[in-house]
Amino acid sequence: MDLGLEGKVAFVTGGSLGIGKATAAELAGNGVNVAIVARDANRLARVADELSSNDGGKVIPIAGDMSRLDEIERCFAEAKSKLGTVDILINNAGSSPAGRLQDVADEDWVKSFNLKFMGYVRCARTALPDMRAQKWGRIINVTGMGGEMPSAGYMLGAYNAGLAHFTSALAQDAAKDNVIVSAISPGAVDTPRWQTMLQQTAKATGKTVDQVSAERSTGFSLGRPAKVLEIAGLAAYLCSEQAAYIAGAQISVNGATTKGV
């Protein structure tokens, strides 16, 4: 399918690993010029080289901390100077640690708020004026199932619920300028973070990683976590003209794991 995105410019946060890296690759493969943004400059450079070696759009690395407004503004300015006006924003940076209420310190709440919530808000606020001016833009917020399925063991999932609200409200405001805002809410995804969690659980329980993985997989209707390409493919599609009426939606990608109507 031709997504009609060739020549567009994307800004992908959390772009050096997992969903962000896969989404950057998918967009670049459709002719989009992509700025990948994360804190680890060395890893970013390696990923940019890897993705740029394939046919498609240009991929550039920009190191920055998406929990800080000054860094966000600097990174957007660099992306614009090197690639042009940002047409597509993929908000994907940051993950919140698991923990029950007594396990999560105030510092954890504040750190996650600044990165996972305010990082998304500030990136959208920075990108939106140019998108409005040109009457075309896409903002995709990668949230998480913690916002739909509250868990005593994942208190910080509350920020995902806040991002769902933010997505819907921003979509209503931006639609009149043909800026389409939507969210993807993945369940478990086989990313480096997922593998780290399996290793930590294996170490804590004395089991092998394969045993822990098999036990976790029994809880998935499809018998496995999602692949990053299954999230990235949807993100790229939501940026296309074919998806131009999917505004304000939060699309769950959890392999029928969520139970309910």
Side-chain angles (χ1 to χ4, degrees), residues 60-221:
I60 66 167
I62 302 178
D65 182 351
M66 295 297 97
S67 69
R68 293 173 46 188
L69 177 59
D70 61 333
E71 287 280 277
I72 288 170
E73 291 175 339
R74 176 186 61 79
C75 290
F76 268 93
E78 183 175 342
K80 188 173 183 178
S81 70
K82 292 180 176 179
L83 297 177
T85 298
V86 171
D87 305 293
I88 296 165
L89 168 62
I90 308 293
N91 267 325
N92 174 68
S95 59
S96 301
R100 299 173 69 87
L101 180 61
Q102 299 305 320
D103 302 326
V104 184
D106 282 3
E107 292 78 9
D108 297 319
W109 283 97
V110 171
K111 183 177 179 180
S112 289
F113 178 73
N114 281 330
L115 179 58
K116 185 66 178 181
F117 189 84
M118 287 306 299
Y120 282 32
V121 170
R122 289 165 173 158
C123 283
R125 192 170 59 204
T126 303
L128 196 56
D130 281 344
M131 293 180 180
R132 287 190 191 277
Q134 67 187 11
K135 300 298 182 183
W136 199 98
R138 299 290 186 268
I139 298 175
I140 311 297
N141 295 322
V142 181
T143 60
M145 209 163 61
E148 305 167 61
M149 298 179 64
S151 167
Y154 184 41
M155 283 289 169
L156 288 171
Y159 289 142
N160 289 324
L163 287 171
H165 181 110
F166 169 67
T167 298
S168 180
L170 181 61
Q172 295 171 42
D173 183 52
K176 61 182 178 291
D177 292 313
N178 194 36
V179 179
I180 308 302
V181 184
S182 54
I184 299 173
S185 177
V189 183
D190 191 359
T191 63
R193 183 187 178 214
W194 174 256
Q195 292 300 321
T196 297
M197 291 170 61
L198 294 179
Q199 292 165 9
Q200 290 172 340
T201 302
K203 183 177 180 180
T205 59
K207 298 176 181 177
T208 67
V209 171
D210 286 344
Q211 287 174 323
V212 174
S213 179
E215 290 172 0
R216 292 284 180 91
S217 294
T218 61
F220 302 139
S221 297

